[in-house]
Amino acid sequence: VLTSDDPETGAKNMFTIITLASSNSLVIWALCGRYVLGHEAMRRMGTANVLIAGMRGLGVEIAKNVILSGVKSVTVQDEGLAEWMDFSSQFFLLASHLGQNRALSSLSQLSALNPHVHVNAHTGPLKETLLQQFQVVVLTDSSLDDQQRFGTFCHSNGIKLIVADTKGLCGQLFCDFGEEFEVLDADGETPASAMIDHITKADPGVVTCFEQRHGFVDGSTVSLSEVCGMTKLNSYGPVDIKVLGPDSFSICDTSSFSEYEKGGVATEVKKSKILQFKPLDEALVDPELLVMTDYGKMTKHQTLHLAFQALHGFVKRVGRLPLPRSQSDAELLVAMVTELNKVSQLDQLDEGVVQSLSFTACGDLAPVNAFIGGLAAQEVMKACTGKFTPLQQWLYFDALECLPEDNGGEGEQLTESTCSPRGSRYDGQTAVFGSGFQERLGEQKYFLVGAGAIGCELLKNFALIGLGAGEGGHITVTDMDSIERSNLNRQFLFRSQDIGVREKQKSEVAAQAVRVMNPNMNITAHQNHLDPDSEQVYGHTFFMGLDGVAAALDNVEARVYLDGRCVQHQRPMLEGGTLGSKGHSLVVVPHLTESYGPAKTGSQNAIPLCTLKNFPHRIEHTLQWARDQFEGLYKQAAEHVNLYFRDSAGFLERTLGRGEAEALEVLECVWGGVGGQRPQGWEDCVGWARRQWETLYNNDIAQLLHCFPSDQLTSSGLPFWSGAKRCPHPLTFDPSNTTHMDYVVAAANLYGQIYGIVGTRDCSAIRSILERVHIPAFTPKSTVKIHLTDKEMEEERESGNLDTGRLDELQKKLSSPPVNSAALQMHPIDFEKDDDNNFHIDYIVAASNLRAENYDIPTADRHKSKLIAGRIIPAIATTTAAVAGLMCVELYKLVQGHRKISSYRSGYINLAVQYCVLSEPLGPQRFTVSDRSAHTPTGMELTVFTCLIRGVVSIQVRQGVTVHPHTTAPPCLELCLHNPGDLQCIKAPKCEARE
């Protein structure tokens, strides 16, 4: 199925498999990947064979991500034997594997990640004959000689080559995809589209878009459709444009075409492009091929390009990497880099970077491997699919600012002795930070909120670095979700056998998995939702006992709440998020960096209600409308009825207190569930569904056209149905139409479920019932008012211009609940996108596409509909691993207590186009109080009044609706405002005014 040449057929077959083999995870992996990569890219992935050489920490990280992505096969190669140094980042090695081959030791765990990827191990040396069997070859932990030799071979034989390497706090990535590599889709973004307001007859013709930014750029290619009048453009084909302004662009010569009348949509047409790559030995001496990740470190990364080459030379000469903190080894490496620079002639050679690389090169750090491994695995996916823009061609990363700050000699001094190996699982980390820092990591108490994609990656990193794994240390993780099949393609701590088991919540399964990785982990799993209701668990005492918090959440509201709690208790927070190939990381340090802050309004992206109700023009509008229909018909209606049965008097009182308009809507809904409309059997459910179809797709549209006929003009004489307003047309029910029947089948079954009535999928039986269903005749009413804007809708609701008689009638009818109310309890339905047998997505797809047909909007297949209506945030393992790696790099700095804001980094990545930008975070907001500087967290207002006569400062700190007044404070006061209501006079020792 995955190799079907027809994407449409492939998609249908995939969904058929779900119903036939629900225990099989193949399809879910395919579907999850398709949300990010698309049909064709997933088909190509399913035919690719990948070789990954080297199974230390970086190699296993890349292998894990590639296997989760769903290639055909992965072969892992390694001649080396497991040693303690590997345990700092190789998460599939156990103590029992010491002295055994790393590839063989990792094989069973790698195979379990995705049972539909063939995973093999090769323990012999790399040879050209082996490489010939693969489309993509990844080299890790390899010598420069091997890189050049195999690079030349791969380039000559059309094999895509990726070289990835990490040394301590530094990382390197290189790609060679051959002489001609076709990129089918440069960025993976949905093609931009814009509705047309006017097109001129000219050379060139000028297109003006309707009240919006078109989103195109110069050189974009667009296709035009649905144009009335100038209809030749609909078949003209893709045309290159020149942007004239945010709402206009020029196209081809339209002077000979008919006059433009109305309508039209301009849609971006994505074009493939051909990229050329140089083989490694040529790219090695081309400084133009260096891609920056931190523009504040340009000189450092140019130096690292030479330093990594010199490091290979050092190993070749000495037979080992430079020893940790060895001054003599560092001097030798600096001399070798200086010699290389005689040829490269860098404007500025950063010898400090070379020395730091030498001091730390023996180190093997999980967060650095996670970041470089995420990037490298994404390049493998690009090589297999042609989707997204590959790296051209070198990338360097360093986190050398993690090293101890210059603190005047305070703290542990790193020496050869403090960084020497101790036969410990943390030797790779001790080589960089010393043994004292390892003890501090073990003593940390951290709170992880979320055990999903990022949460799993963070827990893996925590286990590897030993966070909370020492005496007095502890990790608390909370996540209230259970494990779903769609989680498996990026939440690598979970397996198929964990799905649907009540006692196997995400947090508990994840905690058990990392205890296997590191048996010393002190971790407790909770299943609590983090909100004000859980403050009895996560209260003041809990937060004050923490060293820090990590946020692995999937919504802004929860992040804002957690940020507020961290600010209130002055605790640092690590935060990260992903959206497909995009990701970000943020560190919040009390008194030093900006906090996450309050939620930004999302109203600019909200769809106006009047658009959803009457004037949709995009498939997103009809899908949102279908979701709203689902919630109203199958969830809210049943919930209202049940609330009414529990406390009829109280329910009526509360409902009437919400305003007449909302009360009328709710009470009509309740009466439908308890009165004469309640279905008595399956036939009633089918009849209801058929009448519902008639109301939504015929009667409502006929009423709209009665109010605004197709030839309606505005007050200014312009056509009413123009621009973003598509003129609809009613539909006529046809039982032979698949979409019509899909709606009836899904709607009837869902309606039956909320009343406890068993339905069927038997379409022939349903058609027989439909023949007996009476459809009342419909006559449009002249008294109906159609609102053109949300403002009109709100004014209508506030005006009280409602049928109060009907409201009184319903109130009387519902004043006495039925005596058998217990038997009439209903069963509200919560929308669930991942169960394809529950009719939920069936209903959404049919309901949305029928409405799209009403308005001549191009329909959406099940895949796209599920993505939008299910509000699925696409997640892939590569981005998740990279973001978690960046978060844990910042964790190193927090544990060391770095106090320079320049030591910290905020990260923004888009792996689709290899965009990685690391930048210094912003500082907190600052205020001046009594000629002294103070700062407050975002969202807190500070008002200061100074009495010049008495020399008194009156201060108010306002957070939410709580006001904390503090008066009679002396002018010498320096304020600490991160904990509202607990101001401290910290520089007035003789002052008694402690408020």
Side-chain angles (χ1 to χ4, degrees):
V1 174
L2 290 175
T3 59
S4 168
D5 291 331
D6 181 351
E8 281 299 316
T9 304
K12 291 176 183 176
N13 287 343
M14 286 178 186
F15 283 101
T16 302
I17 290 176
I18 289 179
T19 62
L20 295 177
S22 59
S23 63
N24 192 318
S25 56
L26 167 64
V27 179
I28 298 298
W29 257 288
L31 296 178
C32 293
R34 278 170 46 210
Y35 285 129
V36 179
L37 298 177
H39 299 278
E40 177 60 19
M42 284 304 297
R43 185 191 69 80
R44 293 187 177 207
M45 286 280 286
T47 64
N49 301 300
V50 179
L51 171 68
I52 301 173
M55 275 296 105
R56 300 188 69 190
L58 179 58
V60 77
E61 182 71 48
I62 297 170
K64 177 256 293 181
N65 296 333
V66 172
I67 292 168
L68 288 173
S69 72
V71 295
K72 180 180 180 181
S73 77
V74 171
T75 297
V76 294
Q77 180 274 342
D78 199 324
E79 297 179 80
L81 306 180
E83 54 188 7
W84 278 120
M85 185 68 76
D86 298 323
F87 283 68
S88 293
S89 63
Q90 222 286 20
F91 43 87
F92 284 154
L93 290 181
L94 305 176
S96 59
H97 293 142
L98 284 168
Q100 298 182 24
N101 180 273
R102 286 186 293 244
L104 289 175
S105 298
S106 309
L107 184 61
S108 62
Q109 291 272 42
L110 289 170
S111 299
L113 289 171
N114 187 343
H116 307 286
V117 175
H118 300 291
V119 184
N120 308 295
H122 181 80
T123 59
L126 285 180
K127 295 181 179 179
E128 284 83 352
T129 53
L130 176 66
L131 270 58
Q132 283 179 321
Q133 303 172 31
F134 303 94
Q135 288 79 51
V136 185
V137 170
V138 184
L139 301 181
T140 72
D141 195 28
S142 56
S143 69
L144 183 59
D145 289 343
D146 280 351
Q147 293 172 14
Q148 290 178 302
R149 177 163 64 95
F150 294 130
T152 300
F153 176 81
C154 289
H155 191 86
S156 301
N157 288 272
I159 301 169
K160 282 77 174 177
L161 174 71
I162 297 167
V163 175
D165 199 3
T166 60
K167 293 291 185 286
L169 288 162
C170 300
Q172 175 194 58
L173 188 61
F174 169 80
C175 291
D176 172 16
F177 290 178
E179 294 289 343
E180 291 190 352
F181 180 76
E182 183 179 17
V183 177
L184 302 174
D185 184 348
D187 56 14
E189 298 291 336
T190 301
S193 65
M195 299 199 69
I196 296 171
D197 187 41
H198 186 69
I199 305 175
T200 64
K201 284 187 65 172
D203 184 14
V206 175
V207 178
T208 305
C209 298
F210 184 80
E211 295 181 356
Q212 65 178 36
R213 291 180 173 271
H214 50 62
F216 304 133
V217 297
D218 263 345
S220 292
T221 301
V222 303
S223 64
L224 304 176
S225 60
E226 303 178 42
V227 177
C228 297
M230 200 177 283
T231 54
K232 191 171 182 180
L233 285 174
N234 295 329
S235 57
Y236 191 84
V239 57
D240 294 335
I241 69 168
K242 180 178 180 181
V243 173
L244 303 178
D247 63 348
S248 62
F249 55 88
S250 62
I251 52 173
C252 57
D253 181 0
T254 61
S255 57
S256 62
F257 296 172
S258 304
E259 288 287 344
Y260 172 81
E261 294 178 5
K262 64 177 182 178
V265 177
T267 304
E268 178 188 12
V269 177
K270 292 204 168 188
K271 296 184 291 186
S272 64
K273 60 181 179 180
I274 303 296
L275 300 181
Q276 289 83 35
F277 291 79
K278 292 184 177 181
L280 188 142
D281 53 355
E282 292 182 27
L284 205 59
V285 294
D286 190 343
E288 299 299 319
L289 299 179
L290 208 60
V291 176
M292 289 296 153
T293 58
D294 190 328
Y295 288 92
K297 297 180 177 180
M298 187 173 295
T299 302
K300 286 186 176 183
H301 290 179
Q302 291 171 339
T303 300
L304 280 176
H305 186 58
L306 296 181
F308 266 79
Q309 296 174 53
L311 202 57
H312 287 291
F314 184 101
V315 173
K316 195 172 181 179
R317 180 188 301 186
V318 181
R320 58 168 172 79
L321 287 167
L323 296 175
R325 293 284 153 180
S326 170
Q327 191 62 44
S328 59
D329 284 356
E331 290 172 358
L332 176 56
L333 188 64
V334 169
M336 296 176 73
V337 173
T338 303
E339 187 67 25
L340 286 174
N341 195 41
K342 290 180 180 179
V343 177
S344 298
Q345 296 186 330
L346 295 180
D347 293 335
Q348 185 177 351
L349 185 69
D350 193 330
E351 292 188 1
V353 167
V354 182
Q355 184 182 61
S356 294
L357 176 64
S358 179
F359 284 167
T360 60
C362 263
D364 190 21
L365 302 177
V368 178
N369 285 331
F371 178 70
I372 295 296
L375 270 59
Q378 188 69 52
E379 295 306 310
V380 173
M381 295 167 68
K382 295 173 186 177
C384 295
T385 64
K387 182 76 174 279
F388 304 149
T389 302
L391 169 67
Q392 289 189 281
Q393 289 186 259
W394 292 101
L395 179 145
Y396 287 89
F397 167 78
D398 84 87
L400 293 172
E401 67 277 0
C402 287
L403 293 172
E405 293 179 334
D406 182 10
N407 53 11
E410 297 180 6
E412 180 187 27
Q413 299 301 307
L414 299 181
T415 64
E416 290 188 56
S417 175
T418 60
C419 296
S420 61
R422 285 160 168 72
S424 160
R425 67 183 310 114
Y426 308 119
D427 279 352
Q429 192 163 256
T430 302
V432 176
F433 296 112
S435 55
F437 176 69
Q438 190 59 55
E439 292 178 7
R440 291 175 63 184
L441 273 172
E443 296 166 354
Q444 294 291 299
K445 298 179 181 67
Y446 256 75
F447 183 31
L448 172 61
V449 186
I454 293 179
C456 283
E457 291 289 340
L458 287 175
L459 283 173
K460 175 256 292 180
N461 291 341
F462 290 172
L464 293 170
I465 69 177
L467 185 74
E471 185 175 352
H474 194 266
I475 304 293
T476 302
V477 56
T478 187
D479 193 311
M480 64 184 298
D481 289 344
S482 56
I483 300 167
E484 299 175 356
R485 195 168 297 280
S486 60
N487 301 146
L488 300 183
N489 82 315
R490 73 269 188 193
Q491 299 177 20
F492 84 108
L493 297 181
F494 308 141
R495 299 292 180 267
S496 298
Q497 59 266 29
D498 299 324
I499 298 168
V501 182
R502 182 177 295 276
E503 60 271 18
K504 288 192 173 185
Q505 298 293 102
K506 281 186 177 180
S507 58
E508 186 58 47
V509 174
Q512 291 173 359
V514 296
R515 286 191 196 102
V516 174
M517 290 182 186
N518 184 348
N520 297 321
M521 286 294 288
N522 304 311
I523 184 168
T524 301
H526 292 175
Q527 290 81 43
N528 299 320
H529 188 64
L530 192 75
D531 58 16
D533 293 338
S534 64
E535 288 183 12
Q536 58 183 345
V537 179
Y538 309 119
H540 176 76
T541 302
F542 176 82
F543 271 91
M544 294 306 293
L546 297 173
D547 292 295
V549 172
L553 295 156
D554 60 1
N555 66 89
V556 172
E557 292 75 14
R559 288 182 172 100
V560 171
Y561 173 76
L562 181 58
D563 174 67
R565 300 287 284 159
C566 290
V567 166
Q568 182 181 356
H569 296 93
Q570 301 181 55
R571 291 297 177 264
M573 182 178 81
L574 297 162
E575 191 273 327
T578 68
L579 181 65
S581 62
K582 300 172 186 174
H584 79 272
S585 63
L586 175 73
V587 58
V588 179
V589 188
H591 309 285
L592 187 66
T593 72
E594 181 182 50
S595 71
Y596 185 87
K600 306 297 188 293
T601 178
S603 59
Q604 66 269 25
N605 297 320
I607 304 171
L609 291 177
C610 62
T611 298
L612 291 177
K613 190 174 178 61
N614 299 309
F615 308 115
H617 55 270
R618 299 174 63 91
I619 194 65
E620 289 81 2
H621 300 160
T622 66
L623 282 164
Q624 182 60 57
W625 175 87
R627 269 302 306 270
D628 292 346
Q629 288 285 318
F630 184 99
E631 294 293 318
L633 293 172
Y634 308 119
K635 185 174 190 290
Q636 294 168 4
E639 288 177 338
H640 290 322
V641 170
N642 289 346
L643 288 171
Y644 166 73
F645 283 148
R646 288 176 202 151
D647 178 15
S648 59
F651 175 79
L652 289 173
E653 181 181 352
R654 291 191 302 271
T655 301
L656 293 170
R658 291 156 70 175
E660 292 181 341
E662 189 171 351
L664 181 60
E665 185 178 327
V666 171
L667 295 187
E668 285 281 16
C669 183
V670 172
W671 179 243
V674 301
Q677 298 178 39
R678 190 178 179 96
Q680 301 302 308
W682 172 239
E683 288 200 10
D684 290 345
C685 296
V686 174
W688 174 88
R690 172 63 183 89
R691 288 187 292 273
Q692 191 73 9
W693 190 103
E694 196 70 19
T695 297
L696 296 175
Y697 305 113
N698 186 301
N699 301 351
D700 287 352
I701 301 300
Q703 180 66 60
L704 180 60
L705 289 172
H706 177 77
C707 296
F708 299 106
S710 59
D711 57 356
Q712 175 90 10
L713 299 178
T714 66
S715 57
S716 56
L718 297 175
F720 176 85
W721 294 105
S722 62
K725 291 188 177 69
R726 291 173 174 263
C727 185
H729 62 275
L731 303 182
T732 301
F733 184 77
D734 179 3
S736 65
N737 185 300
T738 302
T739 309
H740 294 198
M741 282 300 294
D742 285 347
Y743 177 89
V744 171
V745 172
N749 275 278
L750 291 169
Y751 192 63
Q753 287 174 23
I754 63 175
Y755 288 102
I757 297 171
V758 178
T760 179
R761 289 182 180 271
D762 187 343
C763 288
S764 60
I766 293 173
R767 286 191 185 94
S768 298
I769 298 173
L770 288 174
E771 293 174 359
R772 302 189 294 273
V773 174
H774 172 68
I775 304 299
F778 174 75
T779 303
K781 299 179 178 63
S782 299
T783 56
V784 173
K785 179 176 176 57
I786 302 292
H787 303 106
L788 300 181
T789 65
D790 284 7
K791 184 178 179 181
E792 282 186 16
M793 197 178 299
E794 188 60 31
E795 289 173 351
E796 175 77 14
R797 293 175 70 91
E798 294 175 356
S799 68
N801 185 21
L802 297 167
D803 187 353
T804 55
R806 176 58 177 168
L807 184 60
D808 292 339
E809 180 186 354
L810 287 171
Q811 188 178 354
K812 291 177 183 177
K813 287 181 175 180
L814 294 170
S815 59
S816 299
V819 293
N820 60 337
S821 58
L824 298 177
Q825 286 282 327
M826 294 178 66
H827 310 282
I829 298 175
D830 290 313
F831 181 74
E832 169 53 57
K833 66 183 183 297
D834 290 322
D835 181 356
D836 277 29
N837 292 317
N838 62 9
F839 298 101
H840 297 193
I841 291 296
D842 295 340
Y843 177 85
I844 296 296
V845 175
S848 170
N849 283 341
L850 286 168
R851 188 163 175 81
E853 187 180 345
N854 277 136
Y855 286 86
D856 292 319
I857 299 170
T859 58
D861 63 13
R862 188 183 184 96
H863 162 67
K864 183 176 180 180
S865 299
K866 186 174 183 180
L867 173 64
I868 298 172
R871 299 186 177 97
I872 297 171
I873 301 176
I876 49 177
T878 51
T879 317
T880 303
V883 166
L886 290 177
M887 292 171 70
C888 288
V889 165
E890 300 307 301
L891 176 63
Y892 282 144
K893 305 167 188 176
L894 290 174
V895 175
Q896 291 183 87
H898 282 14
R899 295 308 305 164
K900 295 178 182 177
I901 195 170
S902 59
S903 295
Y904 292 94
R905 290 290 184 274
S906 296
Y908 305 93
I909 63 175
N910 183 352
L911 302 190
V913 293
Q914 205 49 279
Y915 172 85
C916 303
V917 174
L918 306 175
S919 59
E920 184 179 305
L922 297 175
Q925 293 182 337
R926 293 189 174 273
F927 303 83
T928 299
V929 181
S930 238
D931 297 326
R932 293 184 181 273
S933 177
H935 42 267
T936 75
T938 303
M940 189 179 295
E941 298 177 12
L942 174 65
T943 308
V944 181
F945 306 91
T946 303
C947 175
L948 298 177
I949 298 175
R950 299 175 57 196
V952 172
V953 180
S954 175
I955 305 151
Q956 283 188 330
V957 178
R958 184 186 301 270
Q959 186 174 43
V961 297
T962 304
V963 177
H964 307 276
H966 303 275
T967 57
T968 66
C972 63
L973 181 67
E974 181 174 297
L975 298 176
C976 175
L977 297 176
H978 280 260
N979 194 355
D982 187 24
L983 301 186
Q984 299 173 7
C985 179
I986 59 175
K987 285 202 174 179
K990 296 181 181 180
C991 177
E992 297 299 322
R994 290 302 175 190
E995 284 193 318

